[in-house]
Amino acid sequence: MAHMNFKRGVLAAAAGLLFASAAHAGGLERGGYNIDLLFDPSDYAAEASATYVNPQRELNNVQDINPLNGTPGGPSDGVRETESYWVPRVGIKAGIGEGFDCMADYSQPWGAHSKPGLNWAGANDNSETKVESDNYAATCSYKWAVGPGQFRVIGGVFYQEVGGFKERLVSPAIPVLGLSGVGRLDLEGDGWGWRAGVAYEIPEYAVRASLVYNSAVDLDNLSGSIDLRDVALGRGPGGRPIIGTKYDVTGFASMPDSLELKVQSGIAPDWVAFGSVKWTDWSQLQVLNFCPGTSSPLTPCTSLNLLYRDGWTISGGIGHKFTDKLSGAASITWDRGTSHGFGTQTDTWTFGSGLSYAATENLEFRLAGAVGILTGGSSGPQTFNGQPVGTDVKYDFDDDFFAAVSTSVKIKF
C-alpha cells in the first residue's frame, strides 16, 4: 500500500458528519453510543458537541376507530406529530502509560418527543409523549503492535437514567367542573450497562476497523404514577361524575443492546473512505405494561405500545483534505424503520456533509449538516401475543423531510 498524504482532519469531518446523520435513527435512538474520541492519538483530548434535529412528520387520514371514545374534534389531515430536539455530548480522553487510553463521556442516547396536541382526531391515543435519557460512561482500551499496525481491546461501563411521560384524552372534558379529560403517565428508572470490543489500526494509512458491543440496560426499578384527577371515569349516584385519582405504578423495560462495525481507510493521497453497520435490538420493546399494586376501575393499569422490530443502520462516505487546516466529508445513511404496521418509524435515508477546521495544532472546529427522507406508510391495529394493540386510531403518512445540524469543538494536547 502506498503511503497516503493523510491528515486527521478528514476523519474529524467524517466523525461529526456521521453523528449528525445518525441523530434521527429508529426506535428511541437520539445520540446512541459513540467512542470515537478514544482513538484520538493525542495524549489528552476534550470534545463537546451539540446536534439540532428538526423532523417534519405529518399524519393524514386520521380515524378514531374505538367506538368507546366518542368522536374527538380536530383535523384529520396535516397533523404535525414530531418536535425538534437537541442532542448534546461531552467527552474527555487521556493516554495512561504505555498502550492504555481511557475516556469519560456524557451523552443522551435515547429520546423521543411526539406532540400532536389535543386538537386532532387521534387525541384519545396521544396528545404528547416524551422520553429523555442521561448516560454517564467510562471506557478504556489497551493496544499493542501487531504486524504493520496495532490491535486494541476495548471495555467500559455506563450508567443510564431514563424518564418520560405520556398524555392523552381519556374522557370528554367537563369545563364546568374544571376537568380537561386528560390523563398522564409519568415514569423514570435507571440501570447499568457495559461495552466490549476490538479494533485494528494502521495510523500511517488511516486504516481502522472496530467492532463494539454495547449491552442492554435493564430498568428494573422503572416506576412512576398515573394521574387521572382531570378525568371523569363514569357516573355515580344521581349522575354525578366519578373523578379519577393519582396513584403509583411500576413496570419493566430494557434499553436495547447493539453491535456496531466501523471501517475506514485511506484510498488515495488526501482521500479516505469510511463506513459502518449497526444492529440494535429494538424488538425487545413491544408492549410495556404499568400497573399499581392492586388495580381497580378507579386505578387501572396502562401500557406503552411500541411493537418495535430490530433496527439496522448502514452508512458510507468519503472524506478529503483540502488544505492543511480544512477537510470535508460526505455520506449517505440508510436506517431500517423499527415500525412495521404500527407507528411512524419507517425507513430513513440521510444525506450529509461536514467540514473540519484545525484553527491551531491544539484546537479543532467541526460543522456538519444532514437532510433526510422519512418514507411514508400507515399505522393501524395489530396483534401481539394474541391480544389486539393499537385499537384507538389509524392513520397514513407520506414521505416527509428532516434536517440536522451538528457543531463541535475539540481541544487536544
Side-chain angles (χ1 to χ4, degrees):
M1 181 185 294
H3 177 75
M4 303 293 177
N5 180 19
F6 182 80
K7 299 293 184 181
R8 298 179 203 164
V10 182
L11 289 179
L17 166 61
L18 289 177
F19 185 56
S21 299
H24 192 68
L28 300 175
E29 186 152 344
R30 282 279 175 87
Y33 300 120
N34 189 314
I35 62 169
D36 286 348
L37 185 62
L38 186 68
F39 296 96
D40 192 287
S42 305
D43 289 334
Y44 301 95
E47 183 178 40
S49 67
T51 301
Y52 174 76
V53 184
N54 185 22
Q56 301 284 331
R57 176 66 87 191
E58 291 189 351
L59 309 180
N60 299 308
N61 303 320
V62 181
Q63 299 179 52
D64 188 301
I65 56 176
N66 187 341
L68 299 179
N69 289 339
T71 305
S76 58
D77 290 305
V79 179
R80 173 73 179 270
E81 182 206 27
T82 51
E83 292 288 300
S84 58
Y85 55 89
W86 286 90
V87 184
R89 181 185 300 274
V90 179
I92 302 173
K93 175 260 180 183
I96 305 173
E98 186 65 29
F100 280 100
D101 295 290
C102 286
M103 67 169 282
D105 70 292
Y106 164 79
S107 64
Q108 295 181 355
W110 321 121
H113 195 186
S114 168
K115 192 179 180 181
L118 290 170
N119 186 34
W120 74 297
N124 285 306
D125 180 66
N126 177 41
S127 61
E128 183 175 9
T129 300
K130 190 172 186 179
V131 177
E132 298 177 302
S133 66
D134 296 292
N135 188 79
Y136 308 88
T139 307
C140 292
S141 70
Y142 177 72
K143 59 180 183 288
W144 66 93
V146 175
Q150 55 194 25
F151 186 80
R152 186 188 298 251
V153 293
I154 303 165
V157 296
F158 44 89
Y159 168 73
Q160 280 181 20
E161 297 174 334
V162 181
F165 67 87
K166 178 176 181 176
E167 294 182 345
R168 70 181 185 91
L169 189 63
V170 179
S171 70
I174 308 178
V176 68
L177 296 180
L179 301 179
S180 66
V182 174
R184 179 180 172 108
L185 168 68
D186 283 280
L187 294 168
E188 61 180 16
D190 58 76
W192 290 85
W194 56 271
R195 65 171 50 104
V198 294
Y200 186 73
E201 306 158 88
I202 308 177
E204 182 181 6
Y205 304 111
V207 170
R208 182 198 303 157
S210 64
L211 182 66
V212 177
Y213 172 78
N214 296 284
S215 77
V217 178
D218 292 335
L219 305 176
D220 296 310
N221 60 349
L222 191 58
S223 61
S225 64
I226 294 177
D227 190 345
L228 300 178
R229 290 175 296 181
D230 282 334
V231 175
L233 298 178
R235 296 285 180 177
R240 307 177 79 179
I242 300 174
I243 311 302
T245 185
K246 183 178 181 180
Y247 53 97
D248 295 335
V249 293
T250 59
F252 172 81
S254 184
M255 305 314 294
D257 51 339
S258 63
L259 181 67
E260 184 169 23
L261 172 67
K262 291 185 175 181
V263 294
Q264 66 184 46
S265 177
I267 53 176
D270 299 328
W271 290 88
V272 64
F274 55 90
S276 65
V277 178
K278 181 173 69 173
W279 163 81
T280 308
D281 187 17
W282 286 114
S283 61
Q284 62 182 287
L285 293 178
Q286 297 293 309
V287 175
L288 309 180
N289 294 303
F290 301 98
C291 292
T294 303
S295 62
S296 72
L298 295 180
T299 57
C301 296
T302 192
S303 66
L304 289 178
N305 302 323
L306 300 175
L307 298 188
Y308 288 153
R309 64 177 177 177
D310 286 355
W312 285 92
T313 306
I314 301 175
S315 297
I318 57 173
H320 179 57
K321 183 192 68 149
F322 301 110
T323 70
D324 286 343
K325 290 183 176 293
L326 184 65
S327 299
S331 75
I332 181 172
T333 300
W334 169 75
D335 182 85
R336 187 180 83 158
T338 54
S339 299
H340 50 113
F342 178 81
T344 62
Q345 295 189 3
T346 49
D347 289 11
T348 301
W349 289 91
T350 308
F351 308 88
S353 61
L355 292 172
S356 172
Y357 178 71
T360 69
E361 185 177 343
N362 305 106
L363 182 62
E364 179 183 289
F365 298 96
R366 304 173 189 169
L367 176 64
V371 295
I373 299 172
L374 310 171
T375 58
S378 61
S379 176
Q382 303 292 318
T383 300
F384 176 72
N385 288 341
Q387 298 297 318
V389 175
T391 56
D392 283 317
V393 66
K394 66 178 182 178
Y395 48 78
D396 303 318
F397 43 91
D398 300 324
D399 291 350
D400 290 311
F401 170 85
F402 81 92
V405 177
S406 178
T407 62
S408 69
V409 59
K410 178 188 283 188
I411 301 173
K412 48 193 176 182
F413 50 93

